[in-house]
Amino acid sequence: MSSQLIDGKSCAQAIRSEIAQEIVDIKSKDPSFKPCLAIVQVSDRQDSSTYVRMKCKAATEADIKTEFIHLNENTSELQLLEKVSELNENPSIHGVLVQLPLPAHINEDKVTSSVSARKDVDGFGPFNVGELNKKTGKPLFYPCTPLGVIELLKRYNVTISGTKSVVIGRSDIVGSPVAELLKSLDSTVTVAHSKTQDLQSYLESADIVVVGIGHAQFVKGEWFKNNKKGVVVIDVGTNYVEDSSKKSGYRSVGDVEFQEAIKYVRLITPVPGGVGPMTVAMLMKNTLTAAKREWENGGKLRKFEPLPLNLQNPVPSDFEISRAQKPKDIKDVALEAGILPSELEPYGSTKAKVSLKVLDRLQNRRNGKYVLVTGITPTPLGEGKSTTTVGLAQALGAHLNKTVFANVRQPSMGPTFGIKGGAAGGGYSQVIPMDEFNLHVTGDIHAISMANNLLAAALDTRMFHESTQKDGPLYKRLVPAKKGVRQFSKTMLKRLKKLGIDKTNPDDLTPEEVTSFARLDIDPESITWRRVVDCNDRMLRGITIGEAPTERGHTRHTAFDISVASECMAILALSNSLQDMRERLGRIVVAASKSGEPITCEDIGCAGAMTALLKDAIKPNIMQTLEGTPVFVHAGPFANISIGANSVLSDKLALKLAGVDSDTPVNLEKERSGYVITEAGFDFTMGGERFINIKCRSSGLIPDVVVIVATVRALKVHGGGPEVKAGAPLPKEYIQENVELLRQGCANLGKHIVNAKQYGLPVVVAINKMVSDTDLEHQVIKEESLKAGAFDAIVSNHWEQGGLGAINLGEGIIKAANQVDINKFDFLYGLQGTVEDKIRQIAQKMYGAADVEFLPEAQRKIELYTKQGFAHLPVCIAKTQYSLSHDANLKGVPQGFVFPVRDVKVSVGAGYLYALAAEIQTIPGLPTHCGFMNVEVTEDGEIEGMF
């Protein structure tokens, strides 16, 4: 019989060329595509080093990057497992290969099993082996040598289906997987081995013979003599026999007696030059497959899988919907979002903290799209901003296949147990579990309370000690000797620098310097720092402290605030890093000295300890929506006197995770960019204005799109509709079509659109659909929105249908976000003007005021803060949220009013001044019937009765 050699070397070369060309083709579309294989070698074995060099060379030819990790022979099993775990996590590594054999003290099976299934390009791991051995299994990778065998057969046009195959050898690496692959291709397979009786007889009727038994020339050539079919022989063996004619003293032979077999077979692989090169080529092919899989998955380690919704009509209560949905494990949510396991700190199975190291890892990525959700002027009927934020995220992530994050504030438990209820969204657009979301989360608000109250305690204690001690003893107790040595702490050195004292030895200060350093001389009447509690408690709006006899008559009148009104919360929301938070905490002004100098947290010596209390709180929390899309829940500054938005850091993290590689072409960037949906408290004119002029100034981020949420009912309120009373039936105007009332109310929506466009940003109006709405009413809102300059106005039914009901809104957001011209953006005011000018611009341009009246106390404070050097700060105006003006009774678009500013306060650490136009209660009270009255816990520990 005329035999032909199967040239594995040329086949492998062709495969490497094909791989290289495919990589070139993908890179021409997306330069960020960079397949990478990590090879770990533990030892200096010469044969292992040779194999590694072969693999690295093949990778180079195939345009695959290699990362070689060479560990010494003494590396422990634990150290090797840690290295493998690190490689498993690294998104830039697509394949992980541990070169065998390993030193005797390391369990090879344990190590190869630790390689992640999605990176197991050797195909040796339990998942891939297990799937290979299932009848309907779907391994992510096939073992390289068996795959190379099949590839050789195909490239030499060997028919497999319907044939008889004999596999000699039953190893997990070759024999068993080759048999499974041949069976999957419809060959009838017999597996033989060294103990098989009358092995020769099996070969007489075989069409294909694969030999991988590990014995030199075990299969004799004459065994094929009686096979008249023209058998194909694949010799997988690599054995070394002595050969004095070779320089090395040995030569390589296979498991088949090649020189004899070639006389009787149709096709046969030589050794070397047969299967060996194919094994390495298949390793490259598996690596390419792994890279493509993650590339097609947006560079993430796990593909996003949405949670299905069981939509019901009528829609059940929010709590019933939340309880009925089984959340994903938060580790899976994070992995789908692109967060590595080492960057996640789980708090149970449904919530976790995310390390700020993500920002370092993704620092070179371009940001995703930034969408700001606001609303019209609030009414008692509600507009559904949070529900829209969540529904839009569900639409983009679960239905439009975009990477998406909903970024929301953490709700205070005060309103939760009071009358407002939770803030998780509603209907089929919620953050889940909603009870976990509304209660505690990971304890950030408690940490804020502790940090705030530590400063309050330190402030009063400092005043007490200054009043009861002379300068010398006070200084000695402030800077005590420890083991005979006195040292300034870091925070003390900062105070010395502020005072212009450059000495570092406590014993070197002059008496005048000692007095200056030790005596803050706080004016009790100037103290602005209060204690806080995360509870609605009207009885704490005015208290007297220091009543105990031990305080020697040092009483003073003060009050509590709710925890989210603390400047510490605003600092948490506006900080750009842990160090930035530390510096901001130090800048907090708590009072003034009797000479008018501002007294800071740094002067008190408290900033370092407060930072320690908040070091975990600064890490954003991750949860999920009803449809399994990720949600960052972080910070919750009081919307009446602060920015009313989630944190800068959660937005920055999400934008990087939703972003694209810096090499991504513009056309692909539009297609692949993810979306971060963030929310501003109240309407655009309050929440949006603060978001842009304060939060965006701090973060350096600019929204791509502004979404203004409106409902037919709420717009009718602004059109002059009858008063809505709690507990009373809605007047007919709100549940029946009334186009005239609605069109009048659209003036309020139009004003918000115009206000947003002053910043050069596109506006999309989200019409939050309700059951009583009519198509004509929706059309009216769209007409008026477009007339006011909106990019689009889109009806969304996310409350009733979840993400499915917000698909049109999502598509509109995508369209608007990709047409933004960043060069048109501008802030409402500059920071160099006077405090009065900034307030006047906000009142006139945003609210529509004719002028601003500064009452005497406000004038006095402005003069003081200007003198203290704080006039350059942006301004947050505290006013009613229920009107564009300062008067809650003025609905629609009031004009010609004079806007009163009765007081101005400063939050230096947060980085803004806030002007008060009305009495704002910073610790709410409780109603007669409170939300907490309905809350119970079952025997299983589940919370019931919320909302």
Side-chain angles (χ1 to χ4, degrees):
M1 181 179 290
S2 176
S3 297
Q4 180 184 354
L5 289 181
I6 296 177
D7 189 350
K9 198 170 182 180
S10 64
C11 282
Q13 178 61 53
I15 290 168
R16 290 196 297 272
S17 297
E18 291 163 9
I19 292 170
Q21 186 58 52
E22 187 171 358
I23 292 172
V24 167
D25 292 343
I26 295 174
K27 279 186 173 180
S28 68
K29 302 172 187 174
D30 184 356
S32 68
F33 183 70
K34 298 168 184 174
C36 182
L37 170 66
I39 303 174
V40 182
Q41 180 184 343
V42 189
S43 75
D44 293 312
R45 284 178 56 126
Q46 188 173 357
D47 56 346
S48 291
S49 299
T50 300
Y51 290 136
V52 167
R53 283 196 298 273
M54 287 169 51
K55 291 166 184 175
C56 290
K57 181 182 178 184
T60 300
E61 291 180 9
D63 198 17
I64 291 173
K65 179 185 173 184
T66 54
E67 184 168 319
F68 177 48
I69 299 98
H70 191 188
L71 305 176
N72 66 48
E73 189 90 20
N74 297 323
T75 299
S76 70
E77 182 176 279
L78 180 60
Q79 288 172 320
L80 177 55
L81 290 171
E82 287 175 348
K83 175 55 68 175
V84 172
S85 177
E86 181 185 315
L87 296 171
N88 283 340
E89 278 199 4
N90 190 338
S92 65
I93 302 291
H94 302 105
V96 176
L97 181 151
V98 180
Q99 184 65 44
L100 302 180
L102 293 171
H105 66 279
I106 296 177
N107 185 322
E108 287 189 355
D109 184 60
K110 188 174 181 180
V111 171
T112 55
S113 296
S114 72
V115 176
S116 169
R118 67 181 183 278
K119 296 190 178 186
D120 176 29
V121 289
D122 246 345
F124 291 166
F127 174 84
N128 289 314
V129 170
E131 288 298 303
L132 178 62
N133 284 279
K134 288 181 183 177
K135 184 177 180 181
T136 57
K138 294 180 180 178
L140 296 174
F141 304 101
Y142 294 101
C144 298
T145 299
L147 191 59
V149 169
I150 301 300
E151 188 66 23
L152 281 176
L153 294 172
K154 289 180 177 179
R155 288 188 178 245
Y156 275 80
N157 300 313
V158 175
T159 301
I160 298 175
S161 179
T163 61
K164 291 181 180 181
S165 297
V166 175
V167 177
I168 304 176
R170 49 187 173 177
S171 73
D172 291 335
I173 295 175
V174 179
S176 294
V178 163
E180 292 301 323
L181 282 171
L182 288 167
K183 282 194 286 185
S184 72
L185 295 170
D186 300 321
S187 179
T188 302
V189 181
T190 299
V191 178
H193 46 80
S194 60
K195 305 298 183 184
T196 300
Q197 296 293 320
D198 195 18
L199 178 56
Q200 180 178 347
S201 64
Y202 289 90
L203 307 184
E204 292 176 356
S205 60
D207 298 294
I208 300 168
V209 175
V210 181
V211 185
I213 204 164
H215 289 239
Q217 300 181 340
F218 177 83
V219 175
K220 305 306 177 185
E222 63 179 19
W223 291 1
F224 298 103
K225 188 173 182 179
N226 295 326
N227 187 310
K228 306 302 181 184
K229 292 184 175 183
V231 66
V232 177
V233 177
I234 306 294
D235 188 352
V236 186
T238 302
N239 309 283
Y240 294 94
V241 297
E242 292 183 0
D243 187 340
S244 58
S245 67
K246 299 291 184 181
K247 184 177 180 180
S248 62
Y250 61 85
R251 63 187 172 91
S252 176
V253 299
D255 291 349
V256 178
E257 190 182 35
F258 179 80
Q259 295 300 335
E260 276 298 307
I262 198 170
K263 299 175 183 177
Y264 308 112
V265 302
R266 178 162 66 94
L267 291 167
I268 188 169
T269 55
V271 178
V275 177
M278 290 296 291
T279 299
V280 178
M282 291 300 102
L283 176 64
M284 300 304 120
K285 191 167 185 178
N286 277 349
T287 302
L288 174 59
T289 298
K292 285 168 62 179
R293 188 177 287 131
E294 290 196 10
W295 175 64
E296 291 163 357
N297 199 32
K300 298 193 187 77
L301 299 178
R302 183 190 291 266
K303 184 178 180 182
F304 172 74
E305 294 290 342
L307 290 174
L309 286 180
N310 179 24
L311 300 175
Q312 297 181 42
N313 197 347
V315 176
S317 71
D318 292 352
F319 187 68
E320 288 174 305
I321 292 171
S322 175
R323 180 58 58 82
Q325 182 67 296
K326 180 175 173 55
K328 301 177 192 175
D329 190 291
I330 198 63
K331 294 176 185 175
D332 294 333
V333 175
L335 206 55
E336 290 175 348
I339 299 163
L340 306 182
S342 63
E343 296 165 342
L344 196 73
E345 300 170 17
Y347 282 62
S349 62
T350 59
K351 55 191 177 183
K353 282 203 164 289
V354 178
S355 170
L356 300 183
K357 292 178 181 177
V358 174
L359 290 172
D360 295 328
R361 176 169 64 86
L362 302 179
Q363 61 182 316
N364 294 322
R365 254 195 203 179
R366 296 182 205 155
N367 286 345
K369 299 296 184 181
Y370 199 27
V371 180
L372 171 62
V373 177
T374 65
I376 61 170
T377 302
T379 71
L381 290 169
E383 290 66 58
K385 287 197 312 297
S386 297
T387 307
T388 302
T389 297
V390 176
L392 177 56
Q394 291 178 175
L396 287 166
H399 300 273
L400 295 174
N401 300 317
K402 297 292 183 182
T403 299
V404 67
F405 293 84
N407 283 11
V408 299
R409 287 177 288 168
Q410 178 182 348
S412 165
M413 285 189 290
T416 295
F417 284 134
I419 196 169
K420 179 180 180 293
Y428 285 104
S429 294
Q430 294 186 57
V431 181
I432 58 170
M434 62 108 73
D435 48 352
E436 297 279 349
F437 174 82
N438 286 297
L439 304 178
H440 301 293
V441 190
T442 59
D444 293 349
I445 295 180
H446 301 302
I448 290 289
S449 302
M450 284 299 301
N452 182 102
N453 293 342
L454 173 64
L455 179 55
L459 171 62
D460 284 309
T461 297
R462 183 60 172 268
M463 291 172 62
F464 174 83
H465 288 307
E466 285 191 28
S467 70
T468 57
Q469 300 176 61
K470 293 183 178 179
D471 292 355
L474 177 65
Y475 181 59
K476 286 184 178 180
R477 288 186 174 94
L478 279 172
V479 194
K482 293 182 179 180
K483 296 182 180 180
V485 179
R486 300 176 73 195
Q487 283 186 321
F488 289 122
S489 65
K490 288 183 178 180
T491 188
M492 290 177 177
L493 291 171
K494 287 177 179 287
R495 172 155 174 78
L496 288 168
K497 183 178 181 181
K498 173 183 175 180
L499 296 171
I501 302 172
D502 60 1
K503 298 173 182 178
T504 57
N505 184 346
D507 297 325
D508 290 346
L509 268 64
T510 66
E512 293 77 13
E513 289 171 338
V514 165
T515 299
S516 180
F517 171 81
R519 197 160 294 281
L520 301 180
D521 199 25
I522 297 167
D523 178 2
E525 296 300 317
S526 71
I527 294 173
T528 56
W529 198 255
R530 296 174 167 182
R531 289 162 174 80
V532 298
V533 62
D534 190 29
C535 180
N536 288 4
D537 191 345
R538 66 190 314 120
M539 296 305 164
L540 295 179
R541 289 172 180 169
I543 62 170
T544 301
I545 61 173
E547 294 281 6
T550 53
E551 307 318 300
R552 305 182 189 179
H554 291 283
T555 62
R556 69 180 181 90
H557 184 74
T558 182
F560 270 74
D561 292 331
I562 196 164
S563 295
V564 291
S566 169
E567 186 178 348
C568 293
M569 179 60 87
I571 287 172
L572 183 73
L574 292 168
S575 294
N576 288 279
S577 66
L578 181 63
Q579 185 57 36
D580 183 30
M581 182 175 72
R582 166 64 181 81
E583 296 304 316
R584 286 172 178 267
L585 290 170
R587 291 198 297 267
I588 291 172
V589 173
V590 295
S593 68
K594 290 173 183 174
S595 63
E597 290 298 313
I599 303 299
T600 67
C601 175
E602 203 74 77
D603 294 325
I604 302 288
C606 219
M610 292 169 71
T611 305
L613 288 169
L614 297 176
K615 73 177 183 63
D616 291 319
I618 198 173
K619 302 169 188 173
N621 309 297
I622 187 170
M623 294 185 73
Q624 65 192 288
T625 69
L626 279 166
E627 296 189 58
T629 58
V631 180
F632 275 128
V633 183
H634 198 218
F638 201 50
N640 295 90
I641 61 167
S642 187
I643 60 169
N646 63 289
S647 74
V648 163
L649 280 169
S650 63
D651 286 355
K652 285 190 168 184
L653 275 172
L655 285 165
K656 289 300 180 186
L657 289 163
V660 296
D661 191 274
S662 57
D663 293 334
T664 305
V666 174
N667 62 318
L668 279 180
E669 182 179 1
K670 289 184 177 180
E671 177 188 330
R672 292 187 177 172
S673 278
Y675 291 77
V676 177
I677 319 297
T678 192
E679 185 183 339
F682 300 141
D683 56 16
F684 177 83
T685 299
M686 281 182 71
E689 181 271 314
R690 297 169 181 176
F691 183 96
I692 294 170
N693 288 311
I694 298 175
K695 183 178 177 181
C696 289
R697 271 195 166 101
S698 178
S699 68
L701 303 171
I702 301 169
D704 293 289
V705 184
V706 173
V707 177
I708 298 179
V709 181
T711 64
V712 169
R713 291 179 180 181
L715 288 171
K716 287 178 179 178
V717 172
H718 287 293
E723 184 181 357
V724 177
K725 297 180 179 178
L730 279 177
K732 61 178 175 39
E733 286 84 352
Y734 298 113
I735 55 177
Q736 295 177 6
E737 184 174 279
N738 190 323
V739 171
E740 182 180 353
L741 194 65
L742 174 63
R743 201 176 290 275
Q744 290 173 354
C746 281
N748 182 272
L749 170 60
K751 174 60 175 169
H752 288 292
I753 294 170
V754 170
N755 283 352
K757 289 185 67 63
Q758 288 188 59
Y759 296 90
L761 300 172
V763 177
V764 174
V765 173
I767 305 171
N768 187 7
K769 182 180 179 181
M770 295 190 174
V771 178
S772 59
D773 296 355
T774 68
D775 291 343
L776 179 57
E777 287 175 324
H778 291 160
Q779 185 59 37
V780 167
I781 296 174
K782 181 162 186 172
E783 289 172 6
E784 295 298 323
S785 298
L786 296 178
K787 191 187 299 181
F791 180 86
D792 204 350
I794 303 166
V795 178
S796 184
N797 193 17
H798 44 273
W799 180 82
E800 194 171 30
Q801 297 181 342
L804 182 67
I807 289 176
N808 290 341
L809 178 61
E811 290 174 336
I813 296 299
I814 292 170
K815 188 175 180 182
N818 284 299
Q819 293 189 15
V820 64
D821 182 357
I822 198 169
N823 295 317
K824 291 183 178 179
F825 174 80
D826 197 10
F827 290 108
L828 186 69
Y829 56 82
L831 295 180
Q832 301 311 311
T834 66
V835 175
E836 293 93 337
D837 285 344
K838 295 170 194 172
I839 293 173
R840 188 169 281 109
Q841 287 192 66
I842 295 171
Q844 292 179 334
K845 293 181 179 179
M846 291 286 104
Y847 309 155
D851 201 359
V852 177
E853 178 187 12
F854 294 94
L855 300 181
E857 181 64 14
Q859 292 175 359
R860 185 183 73 81
K861 291 285 189 64
I862 290 171
E863 289 174 9
L864 173 64
Y865 296 145
T866 301
K867 180 181 176 182
Q868 292 178 334
F870 303 139
H872 66 285
L873 297 174
V875 177
C876 173
I877 297 182
K879 73 174 190 69
T880 178
Q881 66 267 36
Y882 295 115
S883 171
L884 285 166
S885 73
H886 60 287
D887 185 348
N889 296 313
L890 299 178
K891 304 300 182 186
V893 187
Q895 294 178 332
F897 58 91
V898 175
F899 189 80
V901 175
R902 64 176 184 83
D903 197 1
V904 176
K905 297 185 179 182
V906 67
S907 292
V908 180
Y912 57 81
L913 298 160
Y914 61 97
L916 286 83
E919 283 287 347
I920 302 295
Q921 294 292 353
T922 52
I923 184 161
L926 291 169
T928 304
H929 182 86
C930 305
F932 65 74
M933 294 176 177
N934 304 316
V935 177
E936 290 291 347
V937 179
T938 69
E939 291 182 1
D940 297 329
E942 291 189 341
I943 297 170
E944 290 184 339
M946 292 186 71
F947 329 120

